[in-house]
Amino acid sequence: MTVDTEPTPGPGSATVQVRAQLSLSTTAARNLATTTKSKPQMQEITSRWLLRVLPWVQVSAGTYRVNRRLSYAAGRGRVGFAKAGSTVTVIAPSLAELPALRGFEDQEVLAELARRFVQRDFAPGDVLVREGAPIEEVFLIAHGKVDRIGTGKYGEETVLGTLADGDHVGDEVITEPGGSWPYTVRAGTAGVAMALNAAGLQELVDRSAPLREQLLGFAADAAQAQNAHGEAEIDLSAGHQGEYELPGAFVDYELEPREYELSVAQTVLKVHTRVADLYSKPMNQTEEQLRLTIEALRERQEYEMINNPEFGLLHNADFDQRIQTHSGAPTPDDLDELLSMRRDTDFLFAHPKAIAAFERECTKRGIDPGTVDVLGKRRPVWRGVPILTCDKIPVAANRTTSFLALRVGEDDQGVVGLTQVGIPDEVEPGLNVRFMGINEQALSSYLVSAYFSAAVLVPDALGILENVEVSRPFN
């Protein structure tokens, strides 16, 4: 049956025709239909490349000890600074990051030493020191970038390295007075340096017996036979003839090697028994809750392995394995320098924005970095090394981030992941789910735990390209 209605024609009026419904509407039909459902989705899930490509070592005792050859070379840490308006001061305890002061604990002496540093502002292009001049000051870079400029074979200028916030130069004045600068130090950006002259340092050394003993001890360690990496030398002989008396040798080890304890990420999942009993078809509610909870734990695990101050990769890279970008944006030259710092690099990790910035620089130069297959996915590659995304590497408020270069595996003295497989109630390697009971509100509780850590076996297994700018330039 069809019913037509036509309103009385008039100015601006229109004719409307209404037909009676001839069949069941889809809206009503849905009340009798069974819908097809997806599993619960979760935007937080990422590719988690670090967890996928890192070799995992079974840590049965819960602790992993990294034994190394004895090293006399003190690490080069970074000094901290405090800023009040335009005035910058040195944070005294952080002076123990200077090689000659490593392990020095006399806070009064460090405080006095910090007060003797004088602030010097610099502009782009300013020369802090010139090659060949006497080393009479030690400089701490509080802010900005400076380049170490050397002289090439044919007299041209060459950039030997870049120093940035927290780095220092000229600390030879502490242990090798009377030397001369082997390079020029020139500012690449505006910034602030803190300077300490040799006379002020010597006056404090003469008054402080603990400081004097510290410097003498450092000089004694430096005088020990050591290789280019600062490790205790193994005395060898080669190229001799006849009955040459061979030198005796032994390999000395660190007396206090570092130990990594397994860390844990945990949560308690609660599911109401009524939900689990009545609403578990066609999908088991408890299983889906656990699945998404485990995904969130794995995301937190990767975050901790990058950012944890105790064992995270960003905090455990040796300071000699950290370099700065030449111009801010990550260029092929920067990645080449990063790769050159180790005998082998298996993977590069970076935030997606940093990878995009690197590819923009390649496009500017007309370079195609290419791609490579990694676990069935096509990924960018540079010099044969895959570049994998990791959104856990932070992008700072000033739009800077980092590239990580890793050599992986125990056999290659690289970076390894640590876990323990075979724990009670295990549902995935190193992750278990333990039922905790039902409370008076009829809530079932499940303790979900993931056990993990990461270890860097030798310093050059991990390198970082710092202060990578990801902002797109305004054209």
Side-chain angles (χ1 to χ4, degrees), residues 80-337:
F81 304 89
K83 189 173 187 297
S86 60
T87 302
V88 178
T89 56
V90 178
I91 298 176
S94 68
L95 286 173
E97 293 298 325
L98 294 171
L101 298 177
R102 178 60 58 89
F104 188 65
E105 298 178 353
D106 192 325
Q107 298 302 314
E108 292 185 4
V109 174
L110 291 178
E112 174 63 25
L113 190 60
R115 286 192 290 269
R116 295 177 180 235
F117 279 87
V118 178
Q119 179 176 338
R120 291 190 186 172
D121 298 339
F122 55 81
D126 285 355
V127 175
L128 275 66
V129 298
R130 292 194 178 276
E131 181 179 359
I135 301 180
E136 297 177 342
E137 293 177 303
V138 55
F139 291 91
L140 310 178
I141 310 303
H143 178 64
K145 287 185 180 181
V146 299
D147 295 321
R148 294 187 296 117
I149 308 296
T151 302
K153 181 178 179 180
Y154 302 102
E156 75 281 8
E157 287 189 347
T158 59
V159 178
L160 304 178
T162 301
L163 306 175
D165 304 3
D167 286 328
H168 45 272
V169 64
D171 44 326
E172 294 89 347
V173 74
I174 301 176
T175 55
E176 302 174 20
S180 58
W181 287 99
Y183 44 74
T184 296
V185 178
R186 181 189 301 157
T189 67
V192 178
M194 304 296 290
L196 172 68
N197 62 53
L201 172 64
Q202 187 59 50
E203 193 273 333
L204 183 59
V205 170
D206 293 339
R207 289 197 295 107
S208 171
L211 180 58
R212 189 162 55 251
E213 292 176 3
Q214 170 75 18
L215 299 184
L216 289 174
F218 176 79
D221 281 347
Q224 297 287 340
Q226 53 190 275
N227 61 19
H229 305 286
E231 298 172 326
E233 188 68 81
I234 299 175
D235 199 2
L236 306 173
S237 179
H240 52 273
Q241 297 179 356
E243 298 178 353
Y244 183 84
E245 183 176 348
L246 298 178
F250 69 97
V251 181
D252 208 351
Y253 301 132
E254 288 185 350
L255 297 179
E256 298 180 0
R258 179 170 180 180
E259 294 184 347
Y260 295 84
E261 293 185 0
L262 290 183
S263 182
V264 63
Q266 291 179 307
T267 189
V268 176
L269 172 64
K270 297 183 178 181
V271 181
H272 201 289
T273 53
R274 182 171 56 183
V275 171
D277 293 343
L278 302 181
Y279 301 97
S280 286
K281 291 183 180 180
M283 297 180 191
N284 186 295
Q285 291 281 1
T286 303
E287 289 182 359
E288 292 304 316
Q289 289 281 301
L290 283 173
R291 181 178 65 85
L292 296 184
T293 300
I294 290 172
E295 292 285 358
L297 271 182
R298 291 302 193 193
E299 292 292 328
R300 182 55 182 266
Q301 175 180 345
E302 186 175 64
Y303 174 87
E304 292 293 320
M305 293 181 69
I306 292 291
N307 296 284
N308 187 284
E310 295 298 323
F311 59 85
L313 300 183
L314 283 176
H315 296 273
N316 279 269
D318 193 82
F319 284 103
D320 284 339
Q321 295 295 322
R322 297 172 183 261
I323 61 172
Q324 307 294 323
T325 57
H326 289 89
S327 58
T331 65
D333 297 335
D334 293 324
L335 289 197
D336 282 343
E337 185 173 353

Side-chain angles (χ1 to χ4, degrees), residues 68 83 421:
R68 289 180 179 173
K83 189 173 187 297
V421 178

Side-chain angles (χ1 to χ4, degrees), residues 438-467:
I438 302 174
N439 67 8
E440 295 178 353
Q441 287 79 37
L443 295 177
S444 300
S445 298
Y446 300 86
L447 176 63
V448 190
S449 308
Y451 299 94
F452 59 89
S453 188
V456 182
L457 300 190
V458 295
D460 78 340
L462 171 64
I464 299 182
L465 175 64
E466 297 183 317
N467 291 321

